[in-house]
Amino acid sequence: MVELFDKELGKIIVVPHRGAKRVIARQKNGYFQLTVPYRFGPKQVASVLEELRPRLSGLKPVSRSIFREQDMVSSFTFNAQIVRNSLIDTPSLSLKKGELRIYMPQRSDLSLPESQQFIKEAITGVLRIEAKRILPGKAASFARQHHLLYREIRINSSKGRWGSCSAQKNINLSLFLMLLPERLIDYVVLHELAHTVELNHGEKFWSLLDRFCQGRARELSREVKKFRPEWYDFLVQD
């Protein structure tokens, strides 16, 4: 058995099986399992994973309400996990090289509401920091590339919309965008930038957005509407 981590799909467990004649992909509780023929090598696994990616990325993850010690939140720029620490009495955080460690006292009960609230606020807080670091830069780069003008990029905690654009060309982007794969983050940013020209969803808008998205605007729109990150419900619950 081999454990992999894919930035878009999350944790993947590869299970070689002597009786397997083909690759079987199953969605498990918080990860994907690939059962492969026994002598499948790393290159074959990588090739099959790319073939399966469109189908696996479209599956709706299991809704999660409790964050446990073995769980992981995967975002565009970091992964978050709990680490037990016998030397501390209060929770603390560390973000280094794309790894957010949420240090919890050894004897702490993670199921308590206050523990879950700390974990949720810790991850959300880092999502906000990373959104402010990444998203304005993406918007500025795309705007230069497509000769577009906007007034301001604001990062908010919207739970119902990934983004919006006002008549004054102020663009709002949800910090929870950071839970999406990069192609969908880029699509949302381009979608809102297109609204600086066409403040509607008419044919001119879709024609413009198609130019920005290599003719895939409606395809990406459908994908982002049905995409729901695994830990989204946990992070946005009050």
Side-chain angles (χ1 to χ4, degrees), residues 191 194-195 198-210 218:
H191 183 113
H195 279 314
E198 297 289 338
L199 198 61
N200 56 64
H201 288 103
E203 286 304 315
K204 289 183 179 180
F205 168 82
W206 287 108
S207 177
L208 179 66
L209 189 53
D210 252 343
R218 293 185 187 273

Side-chain angles (χ1 to χ4, degrees), residues 51-66:
E51 292 179 16
L52 293 172
R53 184 178 299 279
R55 178 167 71 85
L56 296 182
S57 64
L59 292 177
K60 183 178 179 180
V62 178
S63 177
R64 312 296 290 277
S65 59
I66 296 292

Side-chain angles (χ1 to χ4, degrees), residues 148-162:
L148 302 170
L149 296 174
Y150 61 88
R151 289 185 60 188
E152 186 179 4
I153 301 292
R154 299 169 181 166
I155 306 300
N156 61 29
S157 56
S158 174
K159 302 170 184 177
R161 304 178 72 177
W162 297 121

Side-chain angles (χ1 to χ4, degrees), residues 49-147:
L49 186 59
E50 288 308 308
E51 292 179 16
L52 293 172
R53 184 178 299 279
R55 178 167 71 85
L56 296 182
S57 64
L59 292 177
K60 183 178 179 180
V62 178
S63 177
R64 312 296 290 277
S65 59
I66 296 292
F67 198 84
R68 302 164 299 181
E69 192 168 353
Q70 68 269 30
D71 289 328
M72 175 188 288
V73 168
S74 301
S75 78
F76 173 47
T77 58
F78 70 90
N79 302 317
Q81 282 187 298
I82 290 172
V83 177
R84 293 283 191 175
N85 190 328
S86 60
L87 302 178
I88 62 174
D89 296 318
T90 57
S92 61
L93 306 176
S94 172
L95 178 63
K96 293 180 181 179
K97 297 182 179 179
E99 297 294 330
L100 172 62
R101 302 293 181 89
I102 305 172
Y103 293 104
M104 302 295 287
Q106 190 67 42
R107 295 178 180 273
S108 60
D109 184 350
L110 295 184
S111 67
L112 292 176
E114 53 265 36
S115 297
Q116 291 294 310
Q117 186 66 21
F118 178 84
I119 295 165
K120 182 176 73 171
E121 290 179 358
I123 296 170
T124 302
V126 177
L127 284 173
R128 185 184 296 277
I129 291 169
E130 290 296 276
K132 289 181 176 180
R133 181 175 72 88
I134 296 294
L135 299 181
K138 279 187 171 292
S141 177
F142 286 140
R144 287 193 299 270
Q145 179 182 348
H146 299 292
H147 309 290

